[in-house]
Amino acid sequence: MAQRGQHDERKRYARGAEVLEATAEARPAAVAAPSPSPTAGSTLAPGGRRGRRRRAGRGRRTLVAVALAITTVTGTAGWAVAHEQPAVTGPPPGAAAWRADDSLGRPLPDPATASPTAVARFFAGLTTAEQHTLAQRHPLITGNLDGAPITLRYAANARALAVERDRELARARDDGLTSQGRDRARDRAERYAALLAGDRQILAFDPRDRGQVAEVYGDLTRARRTAVIVPGSDIDLGSYATPTAPATPSRAATTTADRADAGPGEGVSTPPADAEAAATPIGMATSLRSELARQAPHTGTAVISWTGYSTPVGLGLDAATGRLARAGAPRLDRFLAGLAAADGAPAAPPTVLCHSYGSVVCGLAAHRIGPDASDLVVLGSPGTRADSVADLETNARVWAAKDGSDWIGKIPHVELFGLGHGADPADGGFGARRLSTARVDGHAGYFAPNTESVRNFARITLGDFDAVRCAVDSDSTAADARGCVSDLL
């Protein structure tokens, strides 16, 4: 979940969790089974006593979850309802015109139903001129069509952004709108203009509602190793390009090795100036890309920041339920399948890194994205809606990171009546490989430069498993974290 603008809500939520946990611990009789008779107690096996204690512990956690859910709903009901977000699904505007287009003498693939593989086959049968004609006529559809050629999507989205920018600029001058409406239009026009600046590589752009965007850092068509970052709550087209994050990857820090054969977007990104910048989607991507270049300067790499789903706002019901994650999971699945199928696809399946509520999206998509992702990393996770790695039903290697300074640890990891997201993937019993997070500071600090977590993310992306450092027991901040992947070598 994003750091900016939610500090007070998180503190209140965390304090509530602490109070409720203390209350539950003080009232074990409310949830434990009745005490056995003296006779029964004298014959109860040690294993049975352990089972009773485990059941009592589960009961206490359930009580905490119920109480916390009630507190969240009743304490912020008006706020939560007011901020309930619509789940943007399906193709962007223009799908009807696309379906009606018969200029090529054949039907165009339905953006709502055609598989990314079918889309890739369709574009492979077109000439370059025909491809660019479609991008000009239908920029929003072509730019978001998973399976379409990578570079064609860049061009289509640049055109779509220019069209939307001009539309919003016109609205900003419309005297028929209120002053607030004109201000909002001006803000959106500025955001679109920022995404058009320089040679940014926008792989997806959807202006509906709060806006969605995916951006590539590096030369995706030539990359040998790639990563996809799925952010959490409070991220949209406005917060994606926050002023605290670098607007574009700097070419000034390009190494000699990269400069020798760099293509568009291949320059090494300058790391964010501070931890706050590294908490934004742009900051996460540029920080990871810089770490990849530091560890493997002669390896072509690319990082994709994917905000392709409707994220929760704040800590209301949207953040506590899986509604938006269930709508986002098929979009993530389709996006990754499109990367694998498209002309200019990466050489190897990417590592998918899922932060906070983004890990709920990834957990629900895990059983589908196995072939299209080599590794699944969840960090600062409230849960994945699964009880274990086995429940994720994925072929991808699963990793988890949660630092002791992260306030997400105050949230009970249970799921009841649709509230909560289930087991803690950083718990030893979940079955994920638990990464060291030495030098991480708080929920938003996992991609900060020089942290052990961002170094581990780069090692996993590069396939350098021998160098990965994992947490010692339950201490995710232990400086003497050990290697933990001998079974992968």
Side-chain angles (χ1 to χ4, degrees):
M1 297 181 184
Q3 186 179 42
R4 232 172 108 236
Q6 304 300 332
H7 182 64
D8 292 339
E9 288 293 339
R10 286 198 289 267
K11 285 178 64 178
R12 184 175 66 194
Y13 197 91
R15 285 198 300 270
E18 288 176 335
V19 171
L20 290 165
E21 285 175 338
T23 301
E25 289 296 334
R27 298 177 59 191
V31 292
S35 299
S37 67
T39 303
S42 63
T43 58
L44 190 64
R49 286 194 293 271
R50 284 195 296 271
R52 288 169 53 78
R53 285 196 294 269
R54 283 196 297 270
R55 288 192 294 273
R58 284 197 297 271
R60 284 193 294 271
R61 288 193 296 272
T62 300
L63 176 62
V64 170
V66 173
L68 183 58
I70 293 171
T71 300
T72 302
V73 173
T74 58
T76 63
W79 176 86
V81 171
H83 289 77
E84 185 177 51
Q85 302 301 302
V88 173
T89 59
W98 168 275
R99 295 186 188 101
D101 189 334
D102 59 359
S103 60
L104 297 181
R106 66 181 110 167
L108 305 185
D110 189 332
T113 60
S115 70
T117 302
V119 170
R121 282 198 303 265
F122 171 81
F123 277 96
L126 302 181
T127 66
T128 300
E130 289 172 330
Q131 291 182 3
H132 282 279
T133 296
L134 288 179
Q136 289 288 317
R137 291 167 63 93
H138 310 282
L140 266 179
I141 297 300
T142 306
N144 290 279
L145 198 55
D146 295 309
I150 300 297
T151 55
L152 185 67
R153 291 180 67 172
Y154 294 158
N157 283 316
R159 178 169 176 76
L161 279 161
V163 170
E164 293 297 322
R165 177 203 58 196
D166 294 345
R167 178 180 291 121
E168 294 300 329
L169 285 174
R171 286 170 50 80
R173 297 188 292 267
D174 185 354
D175 291 336
L177 295 178
T178 64
S179 60
Q180 293 88 346
R182 291 194 298 272
D183 288 343
R184 284 194 295 269
R186 191 174 297 109
D187 287 344
R188 291 180 77 89
E190 290 175 358
R191 295 170 194 166
Y192 299 152
L195 291 172
L196 283 166
D199 57 356
R200 297 180 73 166
Q201 302 172 127
I202 307 303
L203 191 56
F205 163 65
D206 191 334
R208 288 178 292 176
D209 195 51
R210 291 156 52 211
Q212 300 179 4
V213 63
E215 184 170 12
V216 177
Y217 296 84
D219 189 345
L220 187 60
T221 65
R222 302 169 64 193
R224 290 176 53 201
R225 296 287 181 171
T226 59
V228 175
I229 298 173
V230 181
S233 295
D234 302 308
I235 302 298
D236 53 30
L237 203 56
S239 57
Y240 172 83
T242 177
T244 59
T248 56
S250 168
R251 302 299 166 84
T254 304
T255 64
T256 302
D258 269 356
R259 193 177 293 117
D261 61 351
E266 183 58 19
V268 177
S269 306
T270 300
D274 53 37
E276 183 179 355
T280 68
I282 292 177
M284 292 177 184
T286 54
S287 181
L288 178 56
R289 180 101 203 292
S290 294
E291 182 61 29
L292 289 167
R294 187 190 71 81
Q295 293 187 22
H298 299 282
T299 300
T301 60
V303 178
I304 303 171
S305 175
W306 183 81
T307 305
Y309 75 105
S310 301
T311 68
V313 171
L315 293 173
L317 285 176
D318 280 345
T321 68
R323 180 180 65 89
L324 294 179
R326 283 191 295 272
R331 294 174 74 84
L332 176 61
D333 169 40
R334 187 178 179 86
F335 177 78
L336 294 174
L339 284 184
D343 179 38
T351 293
V352 180
L353 300 117
C354 317
H355 181 234
S356 197
Y357 192 85
S359 66
V360 186
V361 178
C362 291
L364 292 174
H367 68 284
R368 293 187 293 264
I369 67 177
D372 300 319
S374 61
D375 295 85
L376 188 63
V377 186
V378 295
L379 46 139
S381 174
T384 60
R385 302 229 146 203
D387 289 332
S388 66
V389 167
D391 287 342
L392 292 174
E393 298 180 354
T394 182
N395 294 326
R397 290 175 289 264
V398 180
W399 313 76
K402 186 179 72 174
D403 192 72
S405 66
D406 188 344
W407 60 265
I408 204 80
K410 300 291 187 181
I411 296 175
H413 282 277
V414 293
E415 181 182 355
L416 188 70
F417 305 130
L419 293 170
H421 302 299
D424 182 358
D427 183 79
F430 189 83
R433 295 176 175 87
R434 296 174 293 155
L435 298 171
S436 171
T437 58
R439 293 179 295 281
V440 164
D441 183 14
H443 186 62
Y446 293 95
F447 286 89
N450 301 316
T451 56
E452 194 65 28
S453 53
V454 78
R455 291 174 179 171
N456 276 327
F457 301 158
R459 292 161 183 156
I460 293 168
T461 301
L462 294 167
D464 186 11
F465 300 121
D466 192 33
V468 174
R469 306 298 288 174
C470 274
V472 176
D473 296 325
S474 61
D475 182 8
S476 62
T477 62
D480 59 342
R482 59 181 174 81
C484 66
V485 291
S486 57
D487 56 322
L488 299 180
L489 305 178

